[in-house]
Amino acid sequence: MAVKSLIETVTVGAGGAASIEFTAIPQNGSDLILVISGRTARTGTTGNLQINVNSDTTASNYSNRQLYANNGTVYSFSANEYPLPPLNASSTTANTFSSHSVYISNYTSSNAKSMSLETVTENNSSAVAQDLQAATWSGTSAITSIQLKEYASFNFDQYTTASLYKIKYD
Protein backbone atom coordinates (compact mmCIF):
# COMPACT_ATOMS: atom_id res chain seq x y z
CA MET A 1 0.00 0.00 0.00
CA ALA A 2 1.25 3.49 -0.85
CA VAL A 3 1.16 6.21 1.79
CA LYS A 4 1.48 9.84 0.70
CA SER A 5 2.67 12.34 3.32
CA LEU A 6 3.36 16.03 3.15
CA ILE A 7 7.00 16.99 3.73
CA GLU A 8 6.61 20.77 3.44
CA THR A 9 4.58 23.57 1.83
CA VAL A 10 6.17 26.91 0.91
CA THR A 11 4.09 29.99 0.04
CA VAL A 12 5.81 33.08 -1.35
CA GLY A 13 5.16 36.21 0.67
CA ALA A 14 4.84 39.89 -0.19
CA GLY A 15 7.54 41.16 -2.54
CA GLY A 16 8.05 37.77 -4.20
CA ALA A 17 10.98 35.37 -3.94
CA ALA A 18 13.90 34.45 -6.19
CA SER A 19 13.55 30.75 -5.39
CA ILE A 20 11.71 28.11 -3.41
CA GLU A 21 13.83 25.47 -1.73
CA PHE A 22 13.18 22.16 -0.06
CA THR A 23 16.16 20.99 1.99
CA ALA A 24 16.81 17.99 4.23
CA ILE A 25 14.35 15.82 2.30
CA PRO A 26 13.75 12.69 4.42
CA GLN A 27 15.29 9.52 2.99
CA ASN A 28 12.56 7.10 4.12
CA GLY A 29 10.34 7.18 1.04
CA SER A 30 10.25 5.81 -2.51
CA ASP A 31 8.98 8.61 -4.71
CA LEU A 32 8.40 12.37 -4.48
CA ILE A 33 5.51 14.47 -5.74
CA LEU A 34 5.90 18.21 -6.14
CA VAL A 35 2.71 20.27 -6.62
CA ILE A 36 3.10 23.92 -7.63
CA SER A 37 0.73 26.82 -8.21
CA GLY A 38 3.03 29.43 -9.75
CA ARG A 39 3.36 32.84 -11.28
CA THR A 40 6.47 34.87 -12.20
CA ALA A 41 7.20 38.60 -12.28
CA ARG A 42 8.72 38.09 -15.75
CA THR A 43 7.15 40.27 -18.45
CA GLY A 44 5.51 38.54 -21.37
CA THR A 45 3.00 35.73 -21.49
CA THR A 46 5.07 32.92 -19.97
CA GLY A 47 8.16 32.28 -17.96
CA ASN A 48 9.79 28.93 -17.31
CA LEU A 49 10.02 27.01 -14.06
CA GLN A 50 13.53 25.61 -13.53
CA ILE A 51 13.97 22.60 -11.25
CA ASN A 52 17.41 21.91 -9.77
CA VAL A 53 18.17 18.77 -7.75
CA ASN A 54 20.81 18.68 -4.99
CA SER A 55 22.13 22.13 -5.99
CA ASP A 56 23.09 20.75 -9.43
CA THR A 57 22.91 23.70 -11.84
CA THR A 58 24.76 22.01 -14.72
CA ALA A 59 22.16 21.94 -17.50
CA SER A 60 23.79 18.98 -19.28
CA ASN A 61 23.14 16.76 -16.22
CA TYR A 62 19.45 16.92 -17.09
CA SER A 63 17.59 15.77 -20.18
CA ASN A 64 13.96 16.08 -21.15
CA ARG A 65 11.45 15.32 -23.85
CA GLN A 66 8.58 17.75 -24.09
CA LEU A 67 5.15 17.77 -25.69
CA TYR A 68 3.67 21.26 -25.59
CA ALA A 69 0.27 22.41 -26.86
CA ASN A 70 -0.44 26.13 -27.09
CA ASN A 71 -3.82 27.30 -28.41
CA GLY A 72 -4.20 24.15 -30.49
CA THR A 73 -0.69 24.13 -31.97
CA VAL A 74 1.45 21.21 -30.80
CA TYR A 75 5.23 21.24 -30.46
CA SER A 76 7.57 18.42 -29.52
CA PHE A 77 11.26 18.58 -28.74
CA SER A 78 13.99 17.17 -26.56
CA ALA A 79 16.97 18.83 -24.92
CA ASN A 80 19.87 18.20 -22.59
CA GLU A 81 18.69 20.83 -20.19
CA TYR A 82 16.66 21.32 -17.03
CA PRO A 83 12.98 20.49 -17.17
CA LEU A 84 11.51 23.90 -18.04
CA PRO A 85 7.71 23.80 -17.90
CA PRO A 86 5.91 27.08 -18.72
CA LEU A 87 4.90 29.42 -15.88
CA ASN A 88 2.24 32.15 -15.92
CA ALA A 89 3.91 35.56 -16.26
CA SER A 90 3.01 39.11 -15.26
CA SER A 91 1.10 40.03 -18.41
CA THR A 92 -1.31 37.07 -18.17
CA THR A 93 -4.71 37.45 -16.52
CA ALA A 94 -4.32 38.92 -13.03
CA ASN A 95 -4.27 36.41 -10.17
CA THR A 96 -4.07 33.45 -12.58
CA PHE A 97 -1.44 30.86 -11.63
CA SER A 98 -0.08 27.94 -13.62
CA SER A 99 -0.53 24.44 -12.18
CA HIS A 100 2.32 21.93 -12.06
CA SER A 101 2.69 18.34 -10.93
CA VAL A 102 6.13 16.71 -10.84
CA TYR A 103 6.57 13.01 -10.01
CA ILE A 104 10.11 11.86 -9.18
CA SER A 105 10.64 8.10 -9.03
CA ASN A 106 13.07 6.26 -6.74
CA TYR A 107 14.54 9.43 -5.25
CA THR A 108 16.76 7.56 -2.76
CA SER A 109 18.26 5.13 -5.29
CA SER A 110 21.83 5.22 -6.62
CA ASN A 111 20.58 5.41 -10.21
CA ALA A 112 19.69 8.40 -12.39
CA LYS A 113 16.34 9.88 -11.35
CA SER A 114 13.37 10.03 -13.72
CA MET A 115 10.71 12.72 -13.54
CA SER A 116 7.35 13.20 -15.18
CA LEU A 117 5.89 16.69 -15.34
CA GLU A 118 2.44 18.01 -16.19
CA THR A 119 1.69 21.73 -16.48
CA VAL A 120 -1.25 23.92 -17.44
CA THR A 121 -1.08 27.69 -18.02
CA GLU A 122 -3.80 30.06 -19.13
CA ASN A 123 -4.48 33.65 -20.08
CA ASN A 124 -8.25 33.98 -19.93
CA SER A 125 -9.92 34.24 -23.34
CA SER A 126 -6.65 34.47 -25.27
CA ALA A 127 -4.36 31.54 -24.50
CA VAL A 128 -4.20 28.16 -22.88
CA ALA A 129 -1.29 25.75 -22.89
CA GLN A 130 -0.57 22.25 -21.65
CA ASP A 131 2.91 20.83 -21.24
CA LEU A 132 3.97 17.23 -20.66
CA GLN A 133 7.60 16.31 -20.03
CA ALA A 134 9.60 13.20 -19.28
CA ALA A 135 12.92 14.18 -17.73
CA THR A 136 16.02 12.64 -16.16
CA TRP A 137 18.61 13.92 -13.73
CA SER A 138 21.83 11.93 -14.25
CA GLY A 139 23.00 12.23 -10.63
CA THR A 140 23.34 8.97 -8.73
CA SER A 141 23.11 10.31 -5.17
CA ALA A 142 19.83 10.34 -3.29
CA ILE A 143 17.81 13.53 -3.67
CA THR A 144 18.20 15.60 -0.50
CA SER A 145 17.18 19.03 -1.83
CA ILE A 146 15.14 20.61 -4.62
CA GLN A 147 15.30 24.23 -5.74
CA LEU A 148 12.68 25.92 -7.90
CA LYS A 149 13.38 29.20 -9.67
CA GLU A 150 12.37 31.13 -12.76
CA TYR A 151 14.76 30.30 -15.60
CA ALA A 152 15.49 33.93 -16.51
CA SER A 153 16.04 34.88 -12.84
CA PHE A 154 12.77 36.75 -12.26
CA ASN A 155 11.04 36.43 -8.89
CA PHE A 156 8.07 34.24 -8.14
CA ASP A 157 5.01 36.37 -7.41
CA GLN A 158 3.36 36.51 -4.01
CA TYR A 159 1.08 33.51 -3.30
CA THR A 160 3.06 31.12 -5.48
CA THR A 161 2.85 27.86 -3.54
CA ALA A 162 4.83 24.63 -3.72
CA SER A 163 4.16 21.47 -1.74
CA LEU A 164 6.48 18.46 -1.58
CA TYR A 165 5.12 15.00 -0.71
CA LYS A 166 6.82 11.67 -0.30
CA ILE A 167 5.33 8.33 -1.27
CA LYS A 168 6.22 5.32 0.84
CA TYR A 169 5.21 1.80 -0.09
CA ASP A 170 4.51 -0.61 2.75
Side-chain angles (χ1 to χ4, degrees):
M1 177 169 74
V3 177
K4 178 173 131 181
S5 28
L6 178 66
I7 295 172
E8 182 180 7
T9 295
V10 176
T11 301
V12 173
S19 65
I20 296 172
E21 296 187 38
F22 298 97
T23 59
I25 296 173
Q27 299 298 295
N28 60 348
S30 279
D31 303 336
L32 296 172
I33 299 175
L34 186 56
V35 178
I36 305 155
S37 174
R39 187 174 173 91
T40 177
R42 182 180 189 168
T43 56
T45 56
T46 62
N48 289 99
L49 175 66
Q50 180 177 323
I51 302 167
N52 292 352
V53 175
N54 291 357
S55 301
D56 186 350
T57 58
T58 304
S60 62
N61 289 340
Y62 300 83
S63 64
N64 69 69
R65 295 190 61 85
Q66 185 173 19
L67 181 62
Y68 179 69
N70 186 2
N71 289 336
T73 302
V74 178
Y75 309 89
S76 176
F77 58 90
S78 58
N80 284 332
E81 189 172 31
Y82 320 100
L84 295 170
L87 185 66
N88 271 67
S90 64
S91 57
T92 59
T93 305
N95 301 315
T96 302
F97 289 70
S98 53
S99 297
H100 308 262
S101 176
V102 181
Y103 195 96
I104 303 171
S105 300
N106 300 313
Y107 77 99
T108 60
S109 80
S110 59
N111 297 317
K113 311 303 182 284
S114 63
M115 302 178 213
S116 60
L117 301 89
E118 299 175 12
T119 299
V120 175
T121 61
E122 71 173 281
N123 190 10
N124 291 351
S125 77
S126 65
V128 64
Q130 183 174 14
D131 181 75
L132 301 171
Q133 291 188 42
T136 303
W137 173 58
S138 64
T140 56
S141 58
I143 294 176
T144 58
S145 67
I146 296 173
Q147 180 191 52
L148 307 173
K149 62 183 187 176
E150 203 281 333
Y151 181 68
S153 300
F154 288 90
N155 279 356
F156 288 115
D157 281 350
Q158 182 178 11
Y159 306 119
T160 292
T161 302
S163 297
L164 182 65
Y165 298 85
K166 71 176 177 180
I167 303 292
K168 186 175 182 180
Y169 294 95
D170 292 331

